[in-house]
Amino acid sequence: MSLLTDKWDEILLSVKDEYDIADISFKTWLKPLQIFSEEGNNLYILFPSGEADQISLNYISKKYSLFLKEAISLYVGVDYDLHFILPKDANALKPETVQVTQPAPSHKHMKSNLNIKYTFDTFVVGNSNKFAHTAALAVAESPGESYNPLYIYGGPGLGKTHLMHSIGNFILSEHPDMNVLYVTSEEFTNEVIESIRSTNNSSSMTKFREKYRSVDVLMIDDIQFIIGKESTQEEFFHTFNALHSSGKQIILTSDKPPKDMEILEERIRSRFEWGLMADIGFPDYETRMAILRRKVESEKIELKDEILNYIAENIKSNIREIEGALNKLIAYSNLEKTEITMEIAEKELQNIISPDKPKEITPQLIIEVVSEHYQISIDQMVSKSRSNSIARPRQIAMYLCKTMTDTGLQAIGSLLGGRDHSTIIHGANKIEEEYKTDKELQMQIDAIKKKINPN
């Protein structure tokens, strides 16, 4: 036992090197492990993290037990049966069964649509997202084996998309030949529509199904937007079944848990709940400060703690807004070639931070948020394009500008490419009428309103 304790750190590092385990995985799962006790051939290993739970422990046992057992045998000459325990279980010593699952085979690589900037290394972990981060890393290490599907939910701007891209980037770094595909629910829906509308409907739908059902990892962002779209739900249902039955990994994000989606088909709701659901809450002060400090370090600029504290204290519910406020100060510093003072920060962020009054909602803000939500540029929003993918968001922006601000119709029209007041009235009224009966549109607009004003 003493030899094993003396060699423990060396054993852990040997496992890391032998099996080429990533730094983030080693720090999360292996490095915290401690020898707890020995009873005959039974070796009890403690995972001491105060935030740990049984799901994490089962994952460690499943993923790393065999690696550790072989390394221990090599270093001390004893074939132990390994049992992983939590602090709360240390006295009871109830061993978990060790199982090892073989990884799924890989296939030809395809375009993933991933943002390489979103990785686990750039994700700031706090109390509000620790469980979701742990689950995401477990899925990334063993796609198709643990927690399938993984369903991450929470409000806008809290890091769901970042985690999803992190999983995909990690998988591709470890398994470059795997098929990993990230899409938004809007992109998935649009492809269904285009396949149905195609003159060669049968061929187009076959290609669509081949694309989505041949992947090893499918990630769909904002899955709540498929609600009410019958054809999209039908294709998603069969795609889900095909992938899940083949042991392929499915990862979904949403703004709410499945039980809160009142008009979602029960057969789809039940599949969302098959795997693991992980929520992301609002970041606490420490997490907000950590995000700001990480951003400052990556941008190689200097900002006083009082400025970072000013941002962290006043923007509490949205990481995207926190980073946006900091980006505005960085841009000001670069353009004006000057150091940011507290006075400058207060002035430049006055439209973002309003400690003593409700946040100012302007047509400019609404147009920016709507453009971001529908993944179109501001130039497209104000253009003459009549494409439905552009015109529809433009009309929603008209409706929101008219109902959420006191700005005149002529001024709104001017901001939206010089359109006259009658066009604004028509667009706003059209959305207002549809909002009364279209559940899908209601959810989209309500989500946009939360992005505009989360408070």
Side-chain angles (χ1 to χ4, degrees), residues 345-364:
E346 290 178 342
K347 180 181 178 183
E348 289 301 308
L349 301 181
Q350 61 183 335
N351 291 329
I352 300 175
I353 296 176
S354 302
D356 302 318
K357 61 181 180 180
K359 178 180 177 181
E360 182 182 359
I361 298 172
T362 64
Q364 292 91 336

Side-chain angles (χ1 to χ4, degrees), residues 107-122:
H107 301 286
K108 184 180 178 182
H109 181 65
M110 69 185 301
K111 183 181 178 182
S112 65
N113 301 326
L114 293 172
N115 185 334
I116 60 173
K117 293 181 180 180
Y118 290 154
T119 67
F120 286 115
D121 289 333
T122 59

Side-chain angles (χ1 to χ4, degrees), residues 124 284-294 305-313 322:
V124 178
D284 56 22
Y285 171 79
E286 290 77 13
T287 304
R288 299 196 296 271
M289 282 296 287
I291 290 168
L292 289 166
R293 287 189 172 126
R294 173 75 66 84
D305 271 358
E306 66 170 336
I307 297 175
L308 300 182
N309 180 69
Y310 176 68
I311 298 173
E313 285 282 4
I322 292 173

Side-chain angles (χ1 to χ4, degrees), residues 184-446:
T184 64
S185 62
E186 287 90 344
E187 289 169 333
F188 184 85
T189 299
N190 288 338
E191 289 192 46
V192 171
I193 293 171
E194 289 304 315
S195 297
I196 293 173
R197 287 180 176 175
S198 172
T199 53
N200 192 347
N201 176 275
S202 177
S203 175
S204 295
M205 191 57 73
T206 298
K207 288 181 180 178
F208 169 86
R209 290 166 180 165
E210 286 177 351
K211 172 184 175 179
Y212 281 95
R213 299 179 194 182
S214 65
V215 299
D216 296 296
V217 182
L218 175 62
M219 300 180 285
I220 302 183
D221 213 353
D222 287 326
I223 193 67
Q224 72 271 12
F225 291 124
I226 73 167
I227 296 174
K229 301 172 182 175
E230 293 183 7
S231 296
T232 301
Q233 285 188 113
E234 189 70 21
E235 286 303 320
F236 171 79
F237 176 76
H238 293 297
T239 297
F240 183 104
N241 287 345
L243 292 175
H244 196 274
S245 63
S246 301
K248 308 303 183 183
Q249 182 67 53
I250 301 164
I251 305 160
L252 309 168
T253 70
S254 175
D255 63 348
K256 63 186 71 175
K259 64 182 179 63
D260 290 347
M261 297 181 180
E262 297 179 359
I263 61 172
L264 180 66
E265 288 186 16
E266 184 57 37
R267 60 176 181 165
I268 295 180
R269 188 200 317 275
S270 66
R271 279 156 177 78
F272 287 169
E273 296 173 344
W274 274 0
L276 178 68
M277 291 187 290
D279 70 308
I280 298 182
F282 295 138
D284 56 22
Y285 171 79
E286 290 77 13
T287 304
R288 299 196 296 271
M289 282 296 287
I291 290 168
L292 289 166
R293 287 189 172 126
R294 173 75 66 84
K295 180 76 172 178
V296 166
E297 289 173 6
S298 66
E299 296 290 340
K300 295 181 173 58
I301 65 167
E302 292 185 9
L303 282 180
K304 295 178 180 179
D305 271 358
E306 66 170 336
I307 297 175
L308 300 182
N309 180 69
Y310 176 68
I311 298 173
E313 285 282 4
N314 290 288
I315 304 179
K316 300 179 180 180
S317 60
N318 192 305
I319 294 172
R320 190 180 294 121
E321 281 195 8
I322 292 173
E323 293 182 336
L326 188 57
N327 286 337
K328 187 168 186 179
L329 296 184
I330 292 172
Y332 183 91
S333 178
N334 291 336
L335 290 172
E336 299 296 329
K337 308 296 182 185
T338 185
E339 179 182 349
I340 298 296
T341 64
M342 191 64 203
E343 182 181 4
I344 291 174
E346 290 178 342
K347 180 181 178 183
E348 289 301 308
L349 301 181
Q350 61 183 335
N351 291 329
I352 300 175
I353 296 176
S354 302
D356 302 318
K357 61 181 180 180
K359 178 180 177 181
E360 182 182 359
I361 298 172
T362 64
Q364 292 91 336
L365 173 64
I366 291 172
I367 292 169
E368 288 173 6
V369 172
V370 173
S371 297
E372 179 190 2
H373 183 85
Y374 289 103
Q375 297 186 324
I376 62 176
S377 68
I378 299 293
D379 288 342
Q380 289 175 305
M381 177 73 84
V382 303
S383 70
K384 301 298 182 183
S385 173
R386 295 186 179 182
S387 165
N388 189 57
S389 62
I390 306 298
R392 183 73 165 175
R394 186 189 296 131
Q395 289 178 332
I396 291 172
M398 293 174 184
Y399 166 74
L400 292 173
C401 286
K402 183 173 180 287
T403 57
M404 296 183 73
T405 75
D406 295 326
T407 306
L409 297 177
Q410 186 173 349
I412 295 173
S414 178
L415 290 169
L416 285 169
R419 288 170 167 80
D420 60 38
H421 72 283
S422 61
T423 302
I424 303 302
I425 292 174
H426 172 75
N429 288 346
K430 183 175 186 294
I431 298 300
E432 184 175 16
E433 287 302 313
E434 291 183 20
Y435 182 87
K436 296 175 183 178
T437 57
D438 190 330
K439 297 292 185 183
E440 178 193 338
L441 180 63
Q442 288 176 17
M443 287 188 295
Q444 290 185 32
I445 289 179
D446 289 347

